[in-house]
Amino acid sequence: MYINLKTLYGVKKGMSQSPEDFFGWFLVLVILALVVGAVVYIIKKKLDHRNDNKPTPVPGHPGAIDHKYAHALEIAMQFFDRGNSALTDGSEAKLDLSKGLYDAGDHVKFGFPMAFTATVLSWAILEYRDQMEAVNQLEPAQQALKWITDFLLNAHPSQNVLYIQVGDPVTNHKCWDRPENMTEKRPLTQVNSSVPGTEVAAETAAAMASASLVFKTADSTYSSTLLMHAKQLFTFADNNRGSYSEKIPEVATYYNSTGYGDELLWAASWLYHVTADQSYLEYVTGENGKEFAQWGSPTWFSWDNKLVGTQVRFSYRNLKHGPSLF
Ligand SMILES: *[C@@H]1O[C@H](CO)[C@@H](O)[C@H](O)[C@H]1NC(C)=O
Ligand SMILES: *[C@@H]1O[C@H](CO)[C@@H](O)[C@H](O)[C@H]1NC(C)=O
Ligand SMILES: *[C@@H]1O[C@H](CO)[C@@H](O)[C@H](O)[C@H]1NC(C)=O
């Protein structure tokens, strides 16, 4: 330190360059080189370490991904897969209801939560498409979604008829078997204009509308079919108002609905996003919004309550950096 200072001082002052000064300079250079070398080494090590978990660059909102979650996503997608079972579901109504999802621990296909699952999966794909693509999970996600929407399309054979359940929950909850081996009867339950089910019809409309966005570019025919069914189901739900769990009390034990207003707004908001048709916007922001939306007092987002989802989706319109769904 003494030499350094002395040397620097000497140079600054333009003093004579004695051998002692040259030795001092040499030492300064060596120390500088060591310091620079150490700094470069540390930075390089840090960068290398970062590169180990380096997120793949993803262009779209909301940006980079973390690979450890990619694996979790992959496993979650596989969760939807199973062997063949219930291949004759729907046959008593001459429908193919062999696809779709069983409920959590049993083999009943409950239309209300199933449609909600499809809507949320669509939303996830729309929001994280680039990220899913970067980790090869876009295709599995779309296939899982289509497995549900194929079912929902077949469950809606005419404008005012929607099959909302396959299987008998009572007998199904009494047994413990694999779906591939089940022998229980698989009765069908429908809603229609005399026994309506506004929330289940509207949720199915939301599922189809959101899925029509997912498949818009990849399969425009399928996308249009989904949108057509979504519009019909929304009209059916809106024109024939009644809670499905009041009209068909058996379902209340399993997926009881506490109201259909949220599903009507939710479905209309998705239809607005897909079609940009102002009448859907007015539907949500006008009288129906006043009656059902509880603007400004969000609670939680669940298969029974979609008000928060509706508010979030509408807030996108005012967010500069939100997903460009509009
Ligand atoms: C259940 O189904 C599988 C095929 O999915 C079959 O291999 C097995 O023998 C069946 N078990 C019973 C008890 O029927
Ligand atoms: C309408 O749905 C109810 C409830 O599922 C059912 O009992 C009735 O048979 C259906 N109506 C027709 C015409 O199928
Ligand atoms: C279903 O929800 C309605 C409306 O909130 C409620 O009155 C009814 O008690 C609930 N039924 C069951 C079985 O939970």
Side-chain angles (χ1 to χ4, degrees):
M1 190 49 98
Y2 165 75
I3 294 170
N4 292 356
L5 287 175
K6 188 187 166 210
T7 312
L8 286 170
Y9 182 74
V11 170
K12 214 175 158 192
K13 286 283 180 190
M15 284 166 79
S16 65
Q17 306 277 302
S18 68
E20 197 194 47
D21 288 333
F22 280 114
F23 178 68
W25 266 111
F26 180 70
L27 259 183
V28 169
L29 286 178
V30 168
I31 291 168
L32 255 179
L34 281 174
V35 168
V36 169
V39 168
V40 167
Y41 178 77
I42 289 167
I43 290 175
K44 193 175 174 306
K45 261 211 115 166
K46 281 221 153 143
L47 282 180
D48 283 354
H49 182 69
R50 266 224 321 252
N51 282 348
D52 291 347
N53 303 305
K54 191 171 171 250
T56 313
V58 176
H61 168 94
I65 51 167
D66 187 331
H67 273 281
K68 73 180 174 199
Y69 298 119
H71 185 53
L73 180 64
E74 186 181 345
I75 292 169
M77 291 296 170
Q78 284 168 6
F79 181 72
F80 288 112
D81 289 339
R82 275 214 74 112
N84 280 342
S85 63
L87 294 178
T88 57
D89 273 6
S91 55
E92 72 175 67
K94 298 196 168 57
L95 299 173
D96 177 3
L97 300 179
S98 61
K99 294 186 181 179
L101 301 182
Y102 297 124
D103 192 48
D106 52 42
H107 314 144
V108 182
K109 296 173 182 172
F110 290 111
F112 189 40
M114 196 202 298
F116 175 68
T117 304
T119 316
V120 174
L121 187 53
S122 293
W123 192 358
I125 296 171
L126 292 169
E127 196 113 5
Y128 299 108
R129 179 186 291 270
D130 294 332
Q131 287 75 7
M132 288 181 173
E133 178 118 64
V135 295
N136 301 320
Q137 291 307 308
L138 182 57
E139 184 78 28
Q142 286 175 337
Q143 277 173 5
L145 176 61
K146 190 166 183 292
W147 189 261
I148 309 175
T149 49
D150 282 352
F151 172 92
L152 296 176
L153 287 172
N154 287 351
H156 183 222
S158 63
Q159 186 136 2
N160 292 347
V161 172
L162 176 67
Y163 285 88
I164 58 144
Q165 188 173 297
V166 184
D168 177 346
V170 177
T171 56
N172 208 272
H173 280 110
K174 283 188 194 144
C175 66
W176 187 252
D177 53 6
R178 304 166 70 225
E180 291 89 336
N181 297 97
M182 66 183 162
T183 52
E184 299 81 31
K185 279 218 164 72
R186 314 251 324 136
L188 305 176
T189 309
Q190 63 165 260
V191 293
N192 47 50
S193 38
S194 47
V195 182
T198 296
E199 53 279 270
V200 64
E203 184 58 57
T204 308
M208 290 177 172
S210 56
S212 84
L213 267 183
V214 170
F215 295 108
K216 198 168 182 170
T217 47
D219 189 342
S220 60
T221 312
Y222 190 67
S223 171
S224 314
T225 305
L226 284 166
L227 182 55
M228 185 195 78
H229 282 265
K231 287 177 177 172
Q232 287 182 353
L233 276 166
F234 178 71
T235 306
F236 166 55
D238 192 34
N239 289 351
N240 302 275
R241 290 193 182 188
S243 170
Y244 94 124
S245 44
E246 278 171 24
K247 302 290 174 185
I248 308 174
E250 300 91 270
V251 303
T253 316
Y254 305 97
Y255 288 95
N256 188 37
S257 168
T258 52
Y260 54 71
D262 56 320
E263 280 84 14
L264 284 173
L265 300 182
W266 173 239
S269 71
W270 277 106
L271 280 163
Y272 172 60
H273 295 152
V274 183
T275 61
D277 179 338
Q278 291 296 307
S279 66
Y280 292 119
L281 177 64
E282 282 153 23
Y283 186 97
V284 180
T285 54
E287 283 308 307
N288 294 291
K290 267 192 206 136
E291 193 176 347
F292 302 123
Q294 297 164 27
W295 300 120
S297 344
T299 50
W300 57 84
F301 183 61
S302 79
W303 57 264
D304 186 27
N305 188 336
K306 289 97 188 188
L307 290 177
V308 174
T310 307
Q311 295 193 22
V312 168
R313 298 206 51 78
F314 269 87
S315 73
Y316 284 175
R317 300 175 72 230
N318 304 319
L319 290 177
K320 266 202 187 120
H321 303 292
S324 49
L325 295 178
F326 287 89

